[in-house]
Amino acid sequence: MKQALIFLENVALRPMLRRAAYARKQGYACYLIYSPLKEFEQAALAEMEADLGMHLFERIETTTCFELPHLRNLVRSIASEADVKGLTGMLGLFTVDGLLGAHTATLAAELGVPTQNPDALYRANNKYLMRDALRHAGVPTVDFGMAYDEQTAVEHARRIGFPVILKPVTGAASHLILKCEDEQQVIERFRMALEKLPTSANASIYEGAHVYADRAGVEHQFDPLKGMLVEGYLSGREASVEMVITEQEAVPLLVHDKIVMTEGERVFYEHLLVVPPMRFTDEEVQQMKDYATSAVRALGLQNCLSHVELRYDDRLGPQILEINPRVGGMCVADSLEALVGFDVLKAQVEQATGTFELQDAYPVKDEKYGMFTLYPPHSGVFEAVEGLEELNQLPGMVFSRLVYPIGTKIDGDDEEVFLLMCWVRGDSYESIIETYEQAERLVTFSVRKEEKASQEV
């Protein structure tokens, strides 16, 4: 029987295609379980297959049902015709049928192939459970509470102290991150959030109502469409730590410095990241690495890459914003390859098949890189972009990548939409910043407003 990998996902096909292409080149037969492919996803698959010169998947099983028993039947059908060496996902977010990443981990364990920790995935994808796990383990974290009505939200805010942040408990892409300075803003923004959640581009994530126990064993009923997490606002310099985690060890690889950030009314945007960090001392970088290591261990993450986002408060030190059980977005994979020599696709396939081995050390090269993203002006239908040719001629530009094809509906008002991502190398941090500032002046997007716009992932 052919050695095979099964890819199980519901919203993030294009990055999954790159991983499958790598696995195909390594000789694995690839199978895909996914939601019905949209037109632009079919085009992306055709383009990848044209580049490879072969079919990417032996079989594609499309489904709108992601209940565990149904997925189990699909996986067993594939396993009857192939020697499955790994079962892997991409984002594994909440669905109306449960947490897809946890389902994937459960099915991998049933197949006897390497797996992640389903409990840790629940805690990483539910921000209340994440902070509860940190607090239970003694890892410093801001105060927090779950609110299902305006009065409870105000009570949490009073206890925590203003300013506070309201955010969806299972959210992604900085969607509906609402800073509140007083009780009236808590009431108004809580009400606004509950109106927007059911019709948002991320609505499928919020449909995953679930019951889960905190670290003390107390069960909580979570309905992401009807409540918001309230937590203390964190000030300070923002950074992220990229980690590789085996079943025994958690190793920080690289720290990115988010040097240009803006806080919109409903979204926090990250514009420009540089690596190695420019605003942190060596001691502060080590503090962030140690803190991130403690945080992922508190959750129990294993056999994955992890993207840990934090702010460095001058009084409190590093503080968690969120923990993602996957590699960071934008150009993080390129950053890891260029600075550390860490091949993300290779690591992901090897983790799924149990062939990954940690190096003794991951030294960071003495070079300076930056990644930046340009955002759409508002929600609507992406119709055109100008200035790309001039952009790619700027000093230090390695590449630019348009994330969404022309014609895509995007939700630029309520979440981070990485419309154009750029990767640049510089002789100095100043040269990288200058390239970013020139790019902002050069590139313009045409987005036609619609009454209701939603992003296709």
Side-chain angles (χ1 to χ4, degrees), residues 104-270:
T104 303
T106 298
L107 293 170
E110 291 176 359
L111 284 175
V113 299
T115 186
Q116 296 186 45
N117 178 353
D119 177 75
L121 295 175
Y122 268 99
R123 299 187 192 283
N125 283 279
N126 178 308
K127 301 178 194 306
Y128 180 96
L129 295 174
M130 179 268 290
R131 293 212 178 275
D132 169 76
L134 295 178
R135 184 166 61 186
H136 188 268
V139 178
T141 182
V142 295
D143 199 358
F144 62 100
M146 192 69 203
Y148 288 99
D149 56 65
E150 297 164 11
Q151 183 57 40
T152 305
V154 169
E155 290 172 358
H156 284 314
R158 287 173 182 164
R159 184 192 75 252
I160 293 167
F162 290 98
V164 296
I165 293 291
L166 300 182
K167 63 172 63 171
V169 70
T170 59
S174 292
H175 182 244
L176 288 176
I177 306 297
L178 309 171
K179 184 179 179 181
C180 303
E181 300 284 357
D182 54 40
E183 294 183 11
Q184 186 61 35
Q185 285 190 348
V186 170
I187 293 170
E188 292 173 352
R189 294 179 181 181
F190 184 92
R191 187 177 302 157
M192 179 267 289
L194 264 59
E195 291 174 355
K196 282 182 168 290
L197 285 172
T199 58
S200 71
N202 287 317
S204 61
I205 303 174
Y206 307 137
E207 291 170 352
H210 54 287
V211 177
Y212 213 81
D214 62 23
R215 285 297 197 203
V218 178
E219 286 195 341
H220 298 262
Q221 293 188 356
F222 296 99
D223 188 340
L225 281 175
K226 297 180 180 178
M228 294 286 280
L229 182 69
V230 188
E231 62 183 30
Y233 173 79
L234 287 167
S235 60
R237 296 160 288 166
E238 189 161 329
S240 59
V241 183
E242 301 303 322
M243 309 191 68
V244 58
I245 305 171
T246 66
E247 293 186 3
Q248 294 81 31
E249 298 184 66
V251 179
L253 299 173
L254 200 58
V255 176
H256 291 88
D257 187 353
K258 301 184 181 184
I259 63 171
V260 181
M261 298 277 302
T262 58
E263 297 182 0
E265 182 181 351
R266 300 190 293 275
V267 190
F268 283 34
Y269 298 98
E270 52 188 61

Side-chain angles (χ1 to χ4, degrees), residues 313-329:
D313 185 283
D314 290 336
R315 181 174 57 88
L316 301 174
Q319 293 281 308
I320 287 291
L321 291 172
E322 64 181 42
I323 302 172
N324 295 306
R326 52 189 173 271
V327 71

Side-chain angles (χ1 to χ4, degrees), residues 66 72 75 108 114 123 138 145 178 237 257 275 298 364 411 421 447 457:
F66 289 90
R72 181 179 288 118
V75 167
R123 299 187 192 283
L178 309 171
R237 296 160 288 166
D257 187 353
V275 61
V364 179
D411 194 14
M421 300 189 305
V447 178
V457 179

